Amino acid sequence: MNILVTGGAGYIGSHTVLSLLNNDFDVIVFDNLSNSSIESIRRVEKLTDKKVTFVKGDIQDKAALAELFCAHNIDAVIHFAALKAVGESSTMPLAYYQNNVNGSLCLLEVMATFKVKHFIFSSSATVYGGDNNVPYIETMPLGEASSPYGASKVMVERMLNDVAKADSDFRAISLRYFNPIGAHESGQIGEAPQGVPNNLLPYIAQVAVGKRKSLQVFGDDYQTLDGTCERDYLHVMDLAEGHVAALKWLNKQRGFTGVEAFNLGTGKALSVLSIIRAFEQVSQQNIRYEIGARRSGDLAAFWANADKANRLLGWQATRSLEQMIEDTWRWQVNNPEGYL
Ligand SMILES: NC(=O)c1ccc[n+]([C@@H]2O[C@H](COP(=O)([O-])OP(=O)(O)OC[C@H]3O[C@@H](n4cnc5c(N)ncnc54)[C@H](O)[C@@H]3O)[C@@H](O)[C@H]2O)c1
């Protein structure tokens, strides 16, 4: 089967491409490299000893997409391509709606033209908003997103539902990721943020190798065990394997049409301080940090109820926190400048 992976050169995309190749899918990556490097794909090819078809392009360029769909017989699309910095989305909301919402719209339009009916979408736990109780479960209503980034994910999920209502052959899965961290165990591919990292683990890793002085912890007065925010961290390879499980499930369903959402998380929440301590233990480095003010939009704690993915997809996160941190550390030490 030919799988089109948009944003496949990025962090989660590259790990998923590796899992797809290891499961004998053929992969075409379409990425504008705005937040990634072609080197990630080259390394995936080396790790798997398989070829990836790479096309540089933007999902808002419908002509380029049409050319791609014309040249390849695409069976399903996994759609990662998006801007993803929550904080930045509040300062440049239009860029997020443009790229994430309009980009998805362009992609779905071209898919409709070429009658490609299988779609897997990178959604996020942010779609639950702040008002639902934890743990989050897929039957909960979509919440009031706390950022334009979150709103863009809610909008695409709504769009998918409407497409599915209008086209009874259309089948989509929204995978709602919790907090992916870690890297492939080889230390060859991992998260390579450009500029200042937005996520906790790359930031800690850069402090550990001396690239940054200290980590700012956003608040220690939350109603949690140690006062810092708690999140459901899962290994990026578990997440990658979740996509393969979702794709196989989608291909097997005969009666199913519509959109199915799945949480991908471990079902456990860990605090920022506990991650710092665990990182210190694994890396044997001292992580300097300062407690700062709360960051607007941050929730105290959330984690997944991932029973549905386990029940229907046969998927479960299996890698430990120690493994997540060991793999992040290996990647960081081997690649202090990312893919440069
Ligand atoms: N990393 C997380 O914590 C997290 C959590 C929940 C959901 N997600 C979602 O998962 C997806 C992948 O995230 P990631 O962490 O791998 O991010 P990433 O930035 O590493 O990967 C995104 C990729 O998409 C590409 N891209 C962006 N806009 C594009 C466009 N218009 N056309 C073509 N390519 C484009 C980028 O160059 C990059 O390679 C995103 O949709 C993100 O919103 C990520």
Side-chain angles (χ1 to χ4, degrees):
M1 285 184 75
N2 287 330
I3 313 301
L4 170 62
V5 182
T6 73
Y11 172 46
I12 306 170
S14 56
H15 290 78
T16 302
V17 169
L18 183 140
S19 280
L20 289 167
L21 294 172
N22 283 337
N23 280 273
D24 294 327
F25 290 100
D26 291 318
V27 177
I28 299 131
V29 168
F30 187 77
D31 197 308
N32 65 4
L33 301 180
S34 59
N35 195 38
S36 53
S37 161
I38 182 73
E39 177 63 16
S40 66
I41 298 298
R42 299 291 162 252
R43 292 192 187 181
V44 166
E45 289 184 324
K46 272 198 196 132
L47 286 166
T48 56
D49 202 16
K50 291 190 174 162
K51 281 271 160 231
V52 174
T53 304
F54 177 80
V55 178
K56 186 174 176 193
D58 194 295
I59 48 167
Q60 293 185 74
D61 182 348
K62 284 169 63 178
L65 281 175
E67 204 176 304
L68 182 83
F69 278 80
C70 228
H72 303 276
N73 202 2
I74 290 168
D75 296 292
V77 177
I78 304 183
H79 177 35
F80 292 102
L83 298 175
K84 63 159 181 177
V86 175
E88 180 187 69
S89 77
S90 296
T91 61
M92 37 194 292
L94 296 181
Y96 275 69
Y97 291 122
Q98 176 79 258
N99 198 66
N100 297 3
V101 181
N102 186 48
S104 301
L105 178 61
C106 292
L107 178 60
L108 287 164
E109 280 177 342
V110 178
M111 281 177 64
T113 305
F114 286 84
K115 300 194 172 19
V116 177
K117 306 283 184 177
H118 286 187
F119 191 76
I120 295 181
F121 175 56
S122 288
S123 190
S124 162
T126 56
V127 300
Y128 290 105
D131 293 331
N132 281 307
N133 292 326
V134 284
Y136 294 150
I137 185 161
E138 295 87 345
T139 47
M140 288 172 170
L142 296 181
E144 185 63 39
S146 60
S147 67
Y149 167 76
S152 76
K153 295 291 176 190
V154 171
M155 286 180 187
V156 177
E157 285 215 14
R158 295 223 164 102
M159 197 157 34
L160 293 178
N161 278 309
D162 290 338
V163 173
K165 275 185 208 150
D167 177 356
S168 61
D169 291 332
F170 184 75
R171 300 177 195 174
I173 290 184
S174 282
L175 295 178
R176 296 177 180 162
Y177 313 157
F178 281 67
N179 290 65
I181 60 173
H184 186 255
E185 61 184 11
S186 63
Q188 288 296 304
I189 55 169
E191 187 167 9
Q194 297 183 353
V196 182
N198 291 298
N199 292 340
L200 180 64
L201 256 285
Y203 209 110
I204 295 181
Q206 292 195 3
V207 173
V209 286
K211 216 174 145 186
R212 297 195 186 271
K213 273 213 173 82
S214 86
L215 168 78
Q216 179 93 341
V217 176
F218 299 114
D220 66 349
D221 55 352
Y222 285 95
Q223 293 289 313
T224 57
L225 273 182
D226 62 24
T228 62
C229 288
E230 293 178 349
R231 296 288 179 267
D232 184 338
Y233 296 97
L234 81 157
H235 197 293
V236 67
M237 284 308 299
D238 279 328
L239 183 57
E241 287 160 9
H243 290 75
V244 174
L247 189 57
K248 288 183 176 171
W249 183 82
L250 198 55
N251 291 337
K252 265 196 326 230
Q253 301 313 304
R254 289 291 161 254
F256 162 70
T257 58
V259 188
E260 204 69 56
F262 292 96
N263 289 339
L264 296 183
T266 61
K268 280 182 288 210
L270 294 165
S271 73
V272 173
L273 287 185
S274 67
I275 297 285
I276 294 174
R277 302 282 172 250
F279 205 101
E280 287 184 324
Q281 212 159 24
V282 166
S283 66
Q284 293 295 303
Q285 303 293 313
N286 182 32
I287 309 295
R288 288 186 57 184
Y289 67 89
E290 289 140 26
I291 305 291
R294 288 182 177 198
R295 192 171 50 177
S296 101
D298 270 349
L299 300 174
F302 60 83
W303 61 96
N305 175 323
D307 291 352
K308 182 177 173 187
N310 190 2
R311 212 174 52 248
L312 297 188
L313 307 181
W315 176 89
Q316 198 173 9
T318 57
R319 293 163 177 88
S320 65
L321 176 66
E322 195 180 37
Q323 194 170 349
M324 299 182 213
I325 293 182
E326 276 173 9
D327 292 341
T328 304
W329 185 230
R330 188 178 305 109
W331 155 254
Q332 181 67 49
V333 170
N334 289 349
N335 307 272
E337 301 302 328
Y339 290 110
L340 293 181

